[in-house]
Amino acid sequence: MNQKVLSTLEYTKIIELLTQKADSAPGKKLCNELLPSTDLEEIAANQKQTADALTRLFQVGSTSFGSNSDLGFSIRSLEIGTTLSILELMKIAAVLDNVARIKTYGKKDRDDAPDDSLSELFGQLTPLTQVANEINRCILSEEEIADDASPKLKSIRRSMIQTGEKIHSQLNSMLTGAYRTYLQDAVITMRNNRYCIPVKAEYKGAVTGMIHDQSASGSTYFIEPASVVSLNNQIRELELAEKEEIQVILATLSSMAGEHTKELAVNQKVMTQLDFIFAKAKLAMEMNATEPLFNNDHIIHIRKGRHPLLNKKSVVPIDIRLGKDFDLLIITGPNTGGKTVSLKTVGLFTLMGQAGLHIPALDRSELSIFTEVYADIGDEQSIEQSLSTFSSHMKSIVHILKHADADSLCLFDELGAGTDPTEGAALAISILNYLHDRGIRTMATTHYSELKIYALSTDFVENACCEFSVETLQPTYRLLIGIPGKSNAFAISSKLGLPDEIIDAAKEQIGKEEKSFEDVIADLEQSRITIEKEQKEIADYKARIRTLQEQLEKKNEKIDQAKDKILRDANEKAREILQEAKEIADETIRDFHKVNAGSDIRELEKKRQQVRDKISEKNDRLALKTPPNAPVRKALDPKKLKKGDTVRILSMGLKGIVSTLPDAKGALFVQCGIIRTQTNIKDIVLVRDDDAAAASVLPKTSSGSGKLKMSKTMSISTEINLLGKTVDEALAALDKYLDDAYLAHLPSVRVVHGKGTGALRSAVHSHLKRLKYVKEFRLGEYGEGDAGVTIVTFK
């Protein structure tokens, strides 16, 4: 890929952002050297690594490679048996500690979790924990070796401390004894690494010893008393022994590390590679970018793409197509309307995608492999080379035409500008025709009406425009493919206050054909706005109809489920009642069989009363309880009741026909189907003729203890919304929801996971593949939620 286009399309700025995301110096170096590739397999592998790293960032969180450093020189030194310095050994220990953390980070949460493209890299890491622990035990800092690094070093340092204490004891006795008047200060000082005392100049002969230094004023001599010379010599000997032992310790540690030079080299290489991959993933996360699809057919389809260097909160996403229905796209529109940004977006996305970087666009955006990308964008006027704007552009265009082929992508900004409009338009048409005839994918921006006509009249060439609002005098930055841009010079000038007579005079200067062409464009633009508005209204209506349809289906489904549940509960209750009635009847029959002529009639009556009590207890349990705040129901007037009236027995929930009128106590018989039961007038209500047909076996509503409690499986929704959840939270909620939905015999459900980076969707799909009761699943189609939802069908 030519270096000029990397700068023109601002790919170098993307690399700067990428480098900032790397933690270690080797990782930053690898980021800084990243260039686009032209090998489809290599690009696919790099994109997969970026996607898998991004998934890990979402699932596990971020990690750091900051302790990774270049160990190349140290490893070569170890291979030839050289003893490493303290700093070099500390670097090795820091790298190994970092390797251990990254190794743990890369472990799978579950043994059955599938491997990804990074699993092999994590598997190549060898923490060498024993080596790292030994180095950390022996070396405390860049300037300090631990006393316990070796028994000999510990003994030497103990001796040094003891000797130093003896020296201080000797000197302190001199400071407080007869020598006190000879001293300038009662302190012990160091000169030439030997302990001395400060003696006044006039008493230097009174203190026996070696003079090591004199003060600047000459009033003080620093004398090492003869009594501590031997002890100072011992200190010096111990210091030399300490240095020798430290070298032995460093040599031992170097030898230990030297046994693993191969592992160290692999660790450093893999850590650098992982730092580089995760830097790409961090950049994708910051840009809210997704993995593009690649093809070899030179087809580009960017869905809601955002230029990565513009503010993602304010930039307007654009849709761009090229290569399928047309291979040449001519973009027109006002200045600062987004034409150049559209060109740069296509070129920069191509470079980023081929470099293994995600692009800030919706998922399933497509890019193609191009061996070269050429761009003639910006003012390249050169005073030194005596080149005008037109000449500099033409020089660049000549270079592009000379080297471009069918595997190239060509981008031209303001093609043919900077010279006579007629000649410039003619040149632009000829250049585009040259590229078009050779099947070279090309995008160009222009203000020339002739190029609009060329696009309308030439096969596989398409117009596009950057939308402009005349009302606000501001571009909307929307790219509209298939519509030529209209010149808004007159409308803008009028809005800004240019007199009408000047504008009218200017309009007379335009030829009839050009004026007619502009009018056609204006009509097309108005038609487009009207159609878009109508399409939006239709889409809204469809969405409302779909929502109402789904609500109706859910309601019907809930009714069917409730009906089945009520029938099951009623059958089960009836079976229990019959079983209990049979047991009471059997018990009563056995009691009567036991009766003989001498039996006490009172005992028999007592047992009969026990049977009645049991029946009354069951009736009371089956009776509907009146809620505490329910209105008091007025008792039925016996005079208004007649034979043949339809009534409902409240305690049993049954409808029947009055067979007898109530007696003085209110007791009466009601015929319920084939059963004739006795009840009380307080337990019945009249049923109107229009309600009789709608009456059901069980009451439709109840409260208190009589309320029907539906289980979760009877009221499960046909949709679950996972938006805003982490992957772990979403999978837990999804698993429980799918179990309930399957138990509720739902044929299919709708899982809303959103589009975003695609990480949540991938996790959901991986989870669905492991569920045995899932028959199939697919992404939503247009109108169902597109790639933001997954439709799951049960077996």
Side-chain angles (χ1 to χ4, degrees):
M1 204 68 67
N2 64 89
Q3 290 297 319
K4 179 184 175 183
V5 79
L6 299 181
S7 176
T8 301
L9 296 177
E10 300 176 297
Y11 174 82
T12 51
K13 293 184 178 180
I14 299 297
I15 294 302
E16 290 176 5
L17 295 177
L18 176 65
T19 304
Q20 294 172 8
K21 298 300 179 185
D23 297 322
S24 65
K28 291 181 182 293
K29 183 174 182 293
L30 206 58
C31 291
N32 200 45
E33 296 171 351
L34 178 62
L35 291 173
S37 171
T38 56
D39 183 85
L40 183 58
E41 291 186 3
E42 180 182 351
I43 293 170
N46 292 337
Q47 287 286 351
K48 185 67 169 60
Q49 287 179 338
T50 305
D52 289 340
L54 184 60
T55 300
R56 287 177 181 263
L57 288 178
F58 279 117
Q59 292 180 343
V60 187
S62 184
T63 186
S64 174
F65 299 85
S67 300
N68 179 45
S69 56
D70 188 359
L71 301 179
F73 180 78
S74 299
I75 292 173
R76 288 192 293 272
S77 298
L78 290 174
E79 288 174 343
I80 61 176
T82 303
T83 299
L84 299 183
S85 66
I86 293 178
L87 184 59
E88 288 175 315
L89 287 168
M90 288 182 67
K91 280 186 177 181
I92 289 177
V95 170
L96 292 177
D97 289 340
N98 203 173
V99 167
R101 291 194 299 272
I102 298 301
K103 182 83 172 180
T104 303
Y105 176 85
K107 286 183 178 179
K108 295 184 291 186
D109 294 337
R110 303 189 309 272
D111 293 337
D112 59 342
D115 291 337
D116 59 19
S117 60
L118 302 181
S119 298
E120 184 178 353
L121 289 175
F122 284 112
Q124 293 176 14
L125 293 175
T126 308
L128 300 177
T129 306
Q130 185 176 358
V131 175
N133 289 343
E134 185 64 14
I135 294 175
N136 290 327
R137 184 185 70 82
C138 295
I139 301 176
L140 301 180
S141 68
E142 296 180 16
E143 299 177 351
E144 185 179 3
I145 300 294
D147 294 344
D148 295 331
S150 74
K152 185 176 181 180
L153 180 63
K154 188 173 185 179
S155 175
I156 291 172
R157 288 184 172 174
R158 187 185 301 112
S159 298
M160 291 174 66
I161 292 172
Q162 292 171 351
T163 304
E165 289 175 349
K166 289 180 182 179
I167 292 173
H168 277 79
S169 177
Q170 287 274 9
L171 295 178
N172 282 329
S173 65
M174 295 178 69
L175 295 178
T176 57
Y179 290 91
R180 177 69 187 86
T181 57
Y182 303 154
L183 303 179
Q184 194 71 260
D185 294 299
V187 295
I188 301 172
T189 184
M190 292 285 290
R191 288 294 185 274
N192 299 324
N193 289 327
R194 300 180 75 86
Y195 290 100
C196 303
I197 56 176
V199 181
K200 297 177 182 178
E202 59 267 26
Y203 295 115
K204 66 177 182 178
V207 179
T208 306
M210 298 176 60
I211 298 175
H212 286 281
D213 198 3
Q214 184 181 12
S215 66
S217 62
S219 61
T220 304
Y221 283 86
F222 296 97
I223 299 176
E224 178 186 1
S227 59
V228 297
V229 169
S230 176
L231 293 175
N232 270 328
N233 289 340
Q234 290 180 26
I235 288 283
R236 294 295 297 158
E237 291 172 359
L238 289 171
E239 287 175 349
L240 293 174
E242 179 188 32
K243 288 183 179 179
E244 291 178 0
E245 182 59 22
I246 287 175
Q247 286 301 313
V248 171
I249 293 169
L250 295 179
T252 303
L253 294 176
S254 299
S255 175
M256 181 183 294
E259 297 175 0
H260 304 282
T261 54
K262 183 177 179 181
E263 290 89 341
L264 289 173
V266 171
N267 282 342
Q268 202 254 317
K269 180 180 178 182
V270 172
M271 288 286 286
T272 302
Q273 185 70 18
L274 286 172
D275 189 13
F276 165 67
I277 294 170
F278 275 88
K280 294 192 294 180
K282 292 173 185 175
L283 183 64
M285 178 183 284
E286 182 180 277
M287 292 181 175
N288 195 20
T290 61
E291 179 184 0
L293 306 177
F294 273 91
N295 62 75
N296 276 321
D297 302 322
H298 299 153
I299 295 174
I300 296 175
H301 185 194
I302 297 172
R303 305 170 66 241
K304 302 299 179 188
R306 295 171 282 104
H307 194 286
L309 298 178
L310 297 179
N311 189 334
K312 62 182 179 182
K313 294 182 179 179
S314 58
V315 64
V316 178
I318 57 175
D319 295 322
I320 303 178
R321 306 190 313 275
L322 180 68
K324 186 175 182 180
D325 301 322
F326 49 88
D327 54 30
L328 199 160
L329 185 63
I330 298 175
I331 305 175
T332 52
N335 290 327
T336 70
K339 301 190 303 297
T340 304
V341 171
S342 300
L343 283 184
K344 285 189 173 182
T345 299
V346 173
L348 185 56
F349 276 17
T350 298
L351 298 178
M352 289 176 63
Q354 292 184 209
L357 299 173
H358 284 6
I359 60 174
L362 290 185
D363 57 339
R364 293 192 287 179
S365 292
E366 284 191 70
L367 297 175
S368 185
I369 307 296
F370 293 100
T371 56
E372 278 290 353
V373 177
Y374 296 101
D376 177 46
I377 298 174
D379 188 359
E380 299 182 12
Q381 183 175 357
S382 173
I383 297 176
E384 294 180 357
Q385 299 181 16
S386 300
L387 293 176
S388 66
T389 300
F390 176 77
S391 300
S392 63
H393 278 295
M394 191 51 61
K395 184 178 179 181
S396 176
I397 291 169
V398 169
H399 174 79
I400 292 173
L401 297 179
K402 183 178 179 181
H403 294 90
D405 56 22
D407 293 324
S408 301
L409 174 64
C410 297
L411 308 171
F412 298 98
D413 188 26
E414 300 294 350
L415 183 61
T419 186
D420 178 77
T422 304
E423 293 181 357
L427 272 174
I429 291 173
S430 298
I431 292 169
L432 293 177
N433 209 44
Y434 177 88
L435 295 168
H436 174 55
D437 291 342
R438 286 157 181 75
I440 300 174
R441 302 295 185 265
T442 307
M443 287 179 63
T445 67
T446 183
H447 285 287
Y448 296 142
S449 297
E450 291 86 347
L451 268 67
K452 305 175 191 177
I453 298 172
Y454 168 73
L456 290 171
S457 59
T458 308
D459 293 336
F460 299 105
V461 181
E462 188 60 86
N463 268 306
C465 70
C466 291
E467 190 178 46
F468 186 88
S469 174
V470 180
E471 286 74 18
T472 61
L473 298 182
Q474 293 291 331
T476 65
Y477 301 104
R478 291 179 60 203
L479 183 66
L480 308 174
I481 294 179
I483 300 173
K486 180 184 181 298
S487 173
N488 295 292
F490 293 152
I492 295 171
S493 301
S494 178
K495 282 276 187 180
L496 293 175
L498 190 68
D500 292 341
E501 58 267 23
I502 296 178
I503 295 175
D504 293 338
K507 289 180 178 179
E508 293 177 359
Q509 302 299 319
I510 299 178
K512 291 183 178 180
E513 292 183 0
E514 291 186 26
K515 187 175 181 181
S516 176
F517 179 71
E518 290 293 331
D519 290 340
V520 169
I521 293 177
D523 291 340
L524 287 173
E525 178 68 7
Q526 187 59 42
S527 298
R528 179 191 65 80
I529 295 173
T530 303
I531 291 172
E532 282 188 356
K533 184 178 180 182
E534 292 177 351
Q535 286 178 339
K536 186 177 183 304
E537 291 177 354
I538 292 171
D540 291 341
Y541 287 140
K542 285 184 176 179
R544 288 182 59 188
I545 292 171
R546 194 181 307 110
T547 302
L548 292 173
Q549 185 178 4
E550 290 176 357
Q551 291 176 350
L552 181 60
E553 289 176 354
K554 290 179 182 179
K555 186 175 181 181
N556 291 337
E557 190 173 357
K558 287 182 179 180
I559 291 173
D560 292 340
Q561 292 171 354
K563 180 181 176 182
D564 293 341
K565 179 70 165 53
I566 290 171
L567 289 175
R568 286 198 302 271
D569 290 346
N571 289 332
E572 181 64 23
K573 196 68 179 177
R575 187 190 66 78
E576 292 176 0
I577 292 172
L578 290 174
Q579 180 65 29
E580 194 165 1
K582 180 178 179 299
E583 292 174 357
I584 293 173
D586 290 344
E587 182 181 353
T588 304
I589 291 170
R590 284 195 298 271
D591 291 340
F592 274 103
H593 285 168
K594 293 177 182 178
V595 176
N596 51 43
S599 299
D600 189 355
I601 193 67
R602 286 177 297 177
E603 185 67 25
L604 183 61
E605 184 61 27
K606 183 178 179 181
K607 290 184 178 181
R608 286 179 61 191
Q609 186 60 39
Q610 289 176 354
V611 173
R612 291 194 195 96
D613 292 342
K614 285 184 179 180
I615 294 173
S616 298
E617 181 185 351
K618 300 302 177 185
N619 286 337
D620 291 341
R621 201 182 306 167
L622 288 173
L624 293 175
K625 302 295 187 295
T626 303
N629 57 350
V632 179
R633 184 177 59 83
K634 189 176 180 181
L636 187 62
D637 189 354
K639 297 179 180 179
K640 294 182 179 180
L641 191 67
K642 56 183 181 294
K643 292 182 181 180
D645 284 347
T646 301
V647 296
R648 181 184 303 282
I649 304 175
L650 297 178
S651 60
M652 301 177 67
L654 296 176
K655 185 187 69 173
I657 306 299
V658 176
S659 299
T660 65
L661 293 176
D663 56 17
K665 294 183 180 180
L668 73 158
F669 284 94
V670 177
Q671 187 72 33
C672 300
I674 62 172
I675 300 173
R676 187 168 184 264
T677 182
Q678 184 179 16
T679 184
N680 193 281
I681 192 170
K682 296 179 181 180
D683 194 30
I684 64 172
V685 292
L686 281 172
V687 178
R688 298 194 306 271
D689 292 340
D690 53 349
D691 290 342
S696 59
V697 174
L698 291 176
K700 294 184 182 289
T701 59
S702 60
S703 60
S705 61
K707 181 178 180 181
L708 296 174
K709 298 180 179 180
M710 294 297 182
S711 67
K712 291 182 179 179
T713 57
M714 294 298 105
S715 59
I716 191 72
S717 172
T718 57
E719 175 185 298
I720 183 173
N721 190 338
L722 303 179
L723 295 178
K725 297 180 184 293
T726 65
V727 171
D728 291 338
E729 293 172 347
L731 291 182
L734 177 63
D735 193 57
K736 185 176 185 304
Y737 167 77
L738 291 176
D739 287 343
D740 290 341
Y742 181 66
L743 291 174
H745 303 291
L746 297 183
S748 64
V749 294
R750 184 170 180 259
V751 180
V752 180
H753 45 63
K755 300 177 182 178
T757 63
L760 182 55
R761 182 183 66 231
S762 300
V764 168
H765 287 186
S766 299
H767 185 70
L768 292 173
K769 290 178 182 176
R770 296 195 294 269
L771 298 180
K772 296 182 179 180
Y773 53 75
V774 172
K775 181 180 180 182
E776 60 181 4
F777 61 92
R778 60 176 175 81
L779 285 176
E781 298 177 353
Y782 179 78
E784 291 181 326
D786 205 359
V789 305
T790 295
I791 307 301
V792 182
T793 303
F794 295 112
K795 293 181 179 178

